[in-house]
Amino acid sequence: MKGKLKIYIGMSAGVGKSYRMLQEAHALLRNGVNVKIGYIETHGRQETQALVDGLPIIPRREVFYKGKMLDELDVQAILLLHPQVAIIDELAHTNIPGSKNEKRWQDVVDILNEGIDVITAINIQHIESINTEVYHITGIEVKERVPDTILQIADEVVNIDLTAEELITRLKEGKIYDNSKVQHALQNFFKPEKILQLRELALKEVAGQVERKVDVEVTRDKSLRHERFLACISSNHLTSQKIIRKTARLASYYNSKWYVLYVQTKRESMDKIPLDKQRHLINNFKNATELGAEVIQIKEDHVAEAIMQIAIKKKVSTVTIGKPHMNLFQIILQTSVFKQLLRTLSLNDIDLIILS
């Protein structure tokens, strides 16, 4: 039987995710639960560090890399000791090269598969499908990301919430970063308007998770149609990335199955498109799979016809495509195949979303 997953989400560093996990670990220990700390990151915060005392800790795995001794989560030790509950911080962390898994979230999946419950934490900016939104808010591209599927398999998602004013007060009191870093943080990431928008994202994400849980666990009208999304991409990397992320958000919101379709025309055969485009395409397939999509590749010169066939075959409710290069009205007037696509989608009660 798989272990249960509980995720604490926060709008930023310093809201108290690690602190809350350690509080829960103490409560579990008092109730006789075999709980162990697999990995905790206190960032030198005194309040958090004080809570580590008295908790059983599994030593970290030491790895020598690029002339430095680094430590990692010791997955094998956790599996060997097999506690009922493992506390594992920093879910979005990238493992040292040479580790079994590239990412810590993959380690967590392995641990869950062995029947061990995991309590973990993540900041909202590390969730894959809202990466672009976070970039627009903060101006920072977050490299360490976690696919939305991890949140979808979670049994419980809890938001650790503070107001912008409370968070900034904690920062000024030196409870988040060393005093030498406070002024720089205030001028950059920790601006009230940025915190407010990140807080909104975190609240929406957790509200969505609760709604999905209700959909799954509470009896619903069985006559309601299940949503299924088909994201249509090309070798255009940035547009495809945007389509994948936005469709992933929709599928996540509706707790639904979704597909990514790439139609390879003769113009886009592997011997005709540059290597960098091929790499980007493969990365987009990988990203879509991690976000929970089923990737479909078809060789066909008539793209619209391929979309129609797959949409009907997979019982899709909504098709998402990128904004066409030419005026949409012109396409409808000039392209009979596109008109046929719209007609077919309409006859089969399939919605079309054109993403900017």
Side-chain angles (χ1 to χ4, degrees):
M1 194 171 75
K2 278 191 176 184
K4 291 184 177 179
L5 176 62
K6 183 173 185 176
I7 302 176
Y8 283 104
I9 285 184
M11 59 185 164
S12 79
V15 295
K17 300 180 301 299
S18 301
Y19 186 87
R20 182 66 190 88
M21 283 197 298
L22 291 170
Q23 280 185 322
E24 186 166 354
H26 277 286
L28 290 168
L29 201 61
R30 284 195 300 271
N31 288 313
V33 175
N34 178 5
V35 57
K36 286 185 168 49
I37 305 296
Y39 195 100
I40 196 75
E41 188 56 76
T42 65
H43 296 287
R45 294 167 192 150
Q46 291 181 0
E47 296 168 333
T48 309
Q49 189 62 51
L51 276 177
V52 175
D53 296 339
L55 292 173
I57 298 172
I58 296 173
R60 298 178 186 181
R61 178 173 66 94
E62 292 190 331
V63 182
F64 195 72
Y65 181 69
K66 289 190 175 179
K68 291 181 182 177
M69 187 61 77
L70 304 171
D71 53 40
E72 283 283 17
L73 172 73
D74 195 333
V75 178
Q76 290 308 310
I78 292 173
L79 297 181
L80 190 66
L81 293 167
H82 212 281
Q84 286 173 260
V85 182
I87 307 293
I88 300 172
D89 209 351
E90 303 282 340
L91 185 62
H93 171 78
T94 301
N95 292 333
I96 296 165
S99 302
K100 183 201 169 201
N101 294 316
E102 183 188 349
K103 299 282 190 176
R104 183 166 293 161
W105 64 263
Q106 294 168 318
D107 294 336
V108 165
V109 170
D110 286 349
I111 292 165
L112 291 169
N113 286 337
E114 292 299 317
I116 299 167
D117 294 349
V118 174
I119 299 171
T120 187
I122 189 174
N123 286 331
I124 192 70
Q125 59 263 38
H126 294 284
I127 296 172
E128 176 66 51
S129 69
I130 54 176
N131 189 255
T132 306
E133 290 176 69
V134 170
Y135 178 75
H136 288 320
I137 293 168
T138 64
I140 299 165
E141 186 179 0
V142 178
K143 299 292 185 186
E144 293 187 319
R145 303 195 291 268
V146 167
D148 294 48
T149 45
I150 292 300
L151 276 81
Q152 289 161 21
I153 67 168
D155 298 272
E156 200 174 348
V157 180
V158 180
N159 184 39
I160 304 297
D161 188 40
L162 289 178
T163 65
E165 187 179 345
E166 287 171 326
L167 186 62
I168 289 169
T169 299
R170 282 180 57 79
L171 179 69
K172 288 177 177 176
E173 289 173 349
K175 291 180 178 178
I176 300 176
Y177 297 131
D178 183 80
N179 287 330
S180 61
K181 298 177 183 175
V182 169
Q183 204 54 43
H184 182 264
L186 284 169
Q187 291 168 357
N188 292 277
F189 191 88
F190 283 78
K191 286 184 175 179
E193 65 273 17
K194 291 181 181 180
I195 294 169
L196 193 61
Q197 290 176 83
L198 291 171
R199 186 186 183 199
E200 182 188 24
L201 282 181
L203 290 167
K204 276 183 177 177
E205 184 59 44
V206 175
Q209 292 294 329
V210 172
E211 191 170 348
R212 284 188 285 279
K213 200 169 175 64
V214 169
D215 279 344
V216 172
E217 295 183 8
V218 179
T219 305
R220 307 289 286 203
D221 183 352
K222 299 297 181 187
S223 66
L224 292 175
R225 180 179 68 160
H226 289 290
E227 296 290 338
R228 286 192 176 198
F229 294 89
L230 177 66
C232 303
I233 67 167
S234 68
S235 59
N236 183 313
H237 172 55
L238 294 176
T239 303
S240 297
Q241 202 174 45
K242 191 178 288 185
I243 291 168
I244 288 167
R245 282 182 178 154
K246 287 195 174 183
T247 310
R249 292 299 291 166
L250 286 166
S252 178
Y253 181 81
Y254 286 101
N255 192 33
S256 62
K257 193 168 179 61
W258 66 292
Y259 309 89
V260 167
L261 173 64
Y262 169 64
V263 182
Q264 186 188 81
T265 61
K266 286 193 180 77
R267 282 187 316 168
E268 291 201 338
S269 59
M270 288 306 171
D271 59 338
K272 289 183 180 175
I273 63 171
L275 279 173
D276 62 328
K277 276 199 170 188
Q278 292 180 38
R279 282 196 299 270
H280 285 316
L281 193 58
I282 291 164
N283 284 337
N284 279 332
F285 292 157
K286 181 188 173 193
N287 187 24
T289 303
E290 287 183 348
L291 284 167
E294 179 186 324
V295 175
I296 302 166
Q297 298 180 62
I298 291 177
K299 290 184 179 180
E300 172 64 65
D301 282 335
H302 303 291
V303 177
E305 287 179 12
I307 293 170
M308 289 186 287
Q309 288 169 12
I310 295 298
I312 293 166
K313 182 181 176 183
K314 296 293 185 180
K315 298 178 181 175
V316 165
S317 61
T318 305
V319 171
T320 60
I321 63 172
K323 185 179 179 181
H325 295 301
M326 60 191 293
N327 182 283
L328 180 60
F329 187 65
Q330 286 178 308
I331 289 176
I332 293 170
L333 287 178
Q334 297 173 12
T335 313
S336 60
V337 178
F338 194 84
K339 283 198 287 184
Q340 188 188 348
L341 171 64
L342 293 179
R343 195 182 305 115
T344 305
L345 295 179
S346 178
L347 287 172
N348 289 276
D349 198 24
I350 299 171
D351 297 325
L352 176 66
I353 296 176
I354 300 173
L355 299 170
S356 60

